[in-house]
Amino acid sequence: MSQPFENLPTTPRSSELIDKAFSRAARAGRAKDGFDAQSSMLQTAANICSDNLENVVTEWPDFDGLDPFYRDLADAVLAGETAIGSEDQRGVDALRQHLSEVTWASRKAADIRGEYHTKLRNASDVDHARKLRKQAFARLADVVEQVEDSLLAIAAAREALRDLPDIRPDEPTIVVAGYPNVGKSSFVNSVTRASNEINSYPFTTTEIHVGHVEDDHIRYQLVDTPGLLDRPPQERNEIESQAVSALEHLADAVLVLVDASGECGYPIEVQLELRDALCERFAEVPVLTVANKADRSRDVEADHYMSVTEGENVETVLAAAIEAVDYEPELPFEE
């Protein structure tokens, strides 16, 4: 299973599509004579334009049918792509408009094919048929060129979305949050090291780190989002806030790591304010406060205390997170 945008095909530019259509049409025309040559050239060029434009659209997943996590994450990513939308319309809605424009062009190419087939059948001679076919080619080229901006925008959307993390929304997920340098990455690395590597995915100004761990034959995802869930909500821009909304759909439990020693560079009071904001944002799932670097300070009230560097209670914290998720796999229906 891969993320829904990973295998999207390359989107052609209008000039590439026109060249492809007309070069294939020329070869088709050389294989026949007279009226048949003109008809074959028309059929070939129009089919290539119409079919390729249609494929650009149909290869994209239905956004309404996507898991809410990927739908909201895609919306956040695309909202940051100025090549895809305007100030008035950004995100998935802007992409949908471009896809709609390409759908129009595909249908228009098919209409031109039908219109000129009728005209070719009524042509008085081969020269007249050739003129009609050239008219059809000019109109096909004009239609494809009209959607050049949309094709470029769709290509930009593909590039922006193809490297999104391969996260499985149907698998239980633990989100790891907290200020920088409190030990989030060290914790995720420690508990996933034995069986799975950590994968990092670029996202706007940050990265999403995803690791996995198995317990009782169930795979759990651990998601760390440095630069996103490590600062107060008021410091996030609109795109980052949308990404947090996506994580709300994903999280089955949240671990908020804090550092009472102050070595992370942030006062414990500020860290707890972030914790409180995350509790409010992820109100539908368990949120556990974990004091890391407990070998240096325990001067904070927390659900659990650990020290990743000393290997103290790390597995206990992981077990507590798994217990908080309280995941029950679906079993086959039995009568």
Side-chain angles (χ1 to χ4, degrees):
M1 177 180 176
S2 59
Q3 58 100 333
F5 309 107
E6 184 176 1
N7 297 316
L8 289 171
T10 303
T11 304
R13 298 193 60 155
S14 60
S15 58
E16 295 170 343
L17 182 52
I18 292 169
D19 288 345
K20 177 181 178 181
F22 291 172
S23 62
R24 295 273 185 88
R27 290 203 298 270
R30 287 194 293 271
K32 298 183 179 181
D33 297 315
F35 285 95
D36 288 343
Q38 304 309 310
S39 179
S40 180
M41 291 174 71
L42 169 64
Q43 179 83 19
T44 300
N47 283 353
I48 288 175
C49 290
S50 180
D51 292 350
N52 279 262
L53 291 171
E54 181 181 14
N55 289 340
V56 166
V57 177
T58 57
E59 289 294 333
W60 280 83
D62 176 12
F63 283 95
D64 291 332
L66 288 179
D67 184 274
F69 165 72
Y70 272 119
R71 185 182 63 237
D72 286 1
L73 191 60
D75 196 39
V77 171
L78 296 181
E81 296 291 327
T82 56
I84 296 168
S86 63
E87 289 294 335
D88 298 329
Q89 188 177 57
R90 290 282 178 89
V92 167
D93 286 343
L95 175 59
R96 279 173 162 160
Q97 183 59 42
H98 289 302
L99 293 169
S100 178
E101 293 290 333
V102 174
T103 296
W104 166 83
S106 173
R107 292 171 179 170
K108 190 65 177 176
D111 290 343
I112 292 171
R113 177 185 59 208
E115 176 186 346
Y116 276 86
H117 266 311
T118 300
K119 290 181 177 182
L120 284 175
R121 284 198 299 268
N122 298 321
S124 56
D125 53 41
V126 174
D127 285 341
H128 184 206
R130 185 178 296 108
K131 289 179 181 179
L132 289 171
R133 189 264 303 162
K134 288 182 178 179
Q135 288 178 13
F137 273 24
R139 289 184 58 186
L140 287 170
D142 181 62
V143 166
V144 175
E145 287 169 352
Q146 284 186 58
V147 293
E148 167 71 357
D149 288 345
S150 287
L151 291 173
L152 291 174
I154 293 168
R158 171 184 178 269
E159 289 302 309
L161 296 176
R162 63 185 300 186
D163 292 326
L164 285 184
D166 181 9
I167 292 177
R168 303 184 183 185
D170 59 337
E171 289 188 352
T173 302
I174 300 164
V175 172
V176 183
Y179 268 98
N181 305 317
V182 296
K184 301 188 303 293
S185 296
S186 297
F187 170 74
V188 175
N189 286 334
S190 176
V191 298
T192 61
R193 183 180 61 241
S195 57
N196 290 283
E197 64 180 271
I198 300 297
N199 294 312
S200 300
Y201 306 91
F203 173 72
T204 61
T205 58
T206 184
E207 287 187 331
I208 294 177
H209 303 320
V210 183
H212 302 92
V213 63
E214 283 198 8
D215 180 78
D216 198 19
H217 306 293
I218 298 172
R219 191 173 87 149
Y220 293 81
Q221 298 174 124
L222 282 82
V223 179
D224 174 23
T225 56
L228 193 60
L229 293 178
D230 60 1
R231 61 184 187 275
Q234 61 269 23
E235 294 183 12
R236 300 181 196 126
N237 61 37
E238 182 178 353
I239 296 169
E240 291 167 336
S241 295
Q242 284 180 268
V244 175
S245 296
L247 289 171
E248 284 184 74
H249 297 297
L250 185 69
D252 296 300
V254 179
L255 290 181
V256 182
L257 271 60
V258 297
D259 172 16
S261 74
E263 291 182 359
C264 66
Y266 300 90
I268 189 61
E269 294 80 11
V270 173
Q271 297 180 58
L272 293 177
E273 287 177 4
L274 176 62
R275 186 274 313 273
D276 292 343
L278 292 170
C279 286
E280 182 177 352
R281 188 67 190 256
F282 292 88
E284 300 300 317
V285 300
V287 179
L288 303 181
T289 303
V290 179
N292 189 30
K293 306 181 186 178
D295 56 312
R296 301 169 195 175
S297 175
R298 292 183 175 231
D299 191 19
V300 62
E301 185 176 345
D303 296 301
H304 298 278
Y305 298 86
M306 73 173 180
S307 172
V308 176
T309 57
E310 299 298 320
E312 177 185 342
N313 289 334
V314 175
E315 294 298 327
T316 301
V317 169
L318 176 62
I322 290 173
E323 183 179 0
V325 169
D326 193 25
Y327 178 75
E328 290 288 341
E330 293 185 7
L331 300 177
F333 178 75
E334 294 182 4
E335 295 189 8

